[in-house]
């Protein structure tokens, strides 16, 4: 069973992603902000991280930089899940920051599951 950590500050979106992924057999944990997500990594090592970009206190890019600078988490694939839908932002995330995938909200449940499965197959 693949392990997924969702770092998403919107409670309803976080719970929705958790429910969808759990129904498809993923062991899913939810963090409601970046600091909580980083803290959870001490006990729960996911196979993939779903990361919102627009969060208060510590935004998704700060979390991403922290993950990639720590040797214990640098290899964990990260899927950005965001409402930002501009092509330039997606290109920058995929090509410059080198996130593993980019999912735009709102998405349908199949898109979420397919994205996570695709990223897991690559790694």
């Amino acid at each position: 069973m693949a392990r997924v950590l969702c770092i998403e500050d919107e409670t309803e979106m976080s719970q929705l992603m958790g429910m969808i992924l759990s129904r498809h057999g993923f062991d899913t944990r939810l963090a409601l902000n970046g600091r909580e997500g980083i803290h959870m990594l001490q006990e729960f090592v996911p196979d993939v991280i779903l990361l919102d970009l627009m969060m208060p206190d510590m935004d998704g890019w700060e979390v991403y930089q922290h993950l990639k600078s720590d040797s214990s988490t640098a290899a964990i694939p990260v899927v950005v899940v965001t409402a930002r839908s501009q092509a330039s932002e997606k290109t920058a995330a995929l090509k410059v920051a080198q996130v593993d995938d980019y999912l735009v909200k709102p998405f349908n449940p199949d898109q979420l599951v397919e994205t996570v499965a695709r990223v897991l197959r690559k790694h």
Side-chain angles (χ1 to χ4, degrees), residues 7-9 31-40 51 55-60 63:
I7 305 175
E8 164 66 60
D9 67 313
L32 292 175
N33 61 59
R35 293 192 196 291
E36 182 181 340
I38 289 170
H39 180 72
M40 287 181 82
L51 179 62
M55 296 185 290
D57 191 29
M58 184 178 202
D59 73 23
V63 174

Side-chain angles (χ1 to χ4, degrees), residues 44-104:
F44 180 77
V45 180
D47 298 304
V48 65
I49 296 172
L50 301 178
L51 179 62
D52 184 23
L53 292 181
M54 296 181 288
M55 296 185 290
D57 191 29
M58 184 178 202
D59 73 23
W61 289 123
E62 291 174 287
V63 174
Y64 184 75
Q65 289 173 346
H66 178 85
L67 295 170
K68 295 307 172 182
S69 67
D70 184 334
S71 62
S72 67
T73 57
I76 300 171
V78 175
V79 175
V80 165
V81 182
T82 184
R84 295 179 175 177
S85 61
Q86 290 101 351
S88 61
E89 290 194 32
K90 182 176 183 177
T91 300
L94 292 167
K95 302 225 186 239
V96 178
Q98 297 184 338
V99 299
D100 294 274
D101 213 328
Y102 194 97
L103 186 61
V104 176

Side-chain angles (χ1 to χ4, degrees), residues 2-13:
R3 297 160 58 108
V4 180
L5 174 59
C6 298
I7 305 175
E8 164 66 60
D9 67 313
E10 295 176 24
T11 304
E12 289 178 6
M13 178 58 72

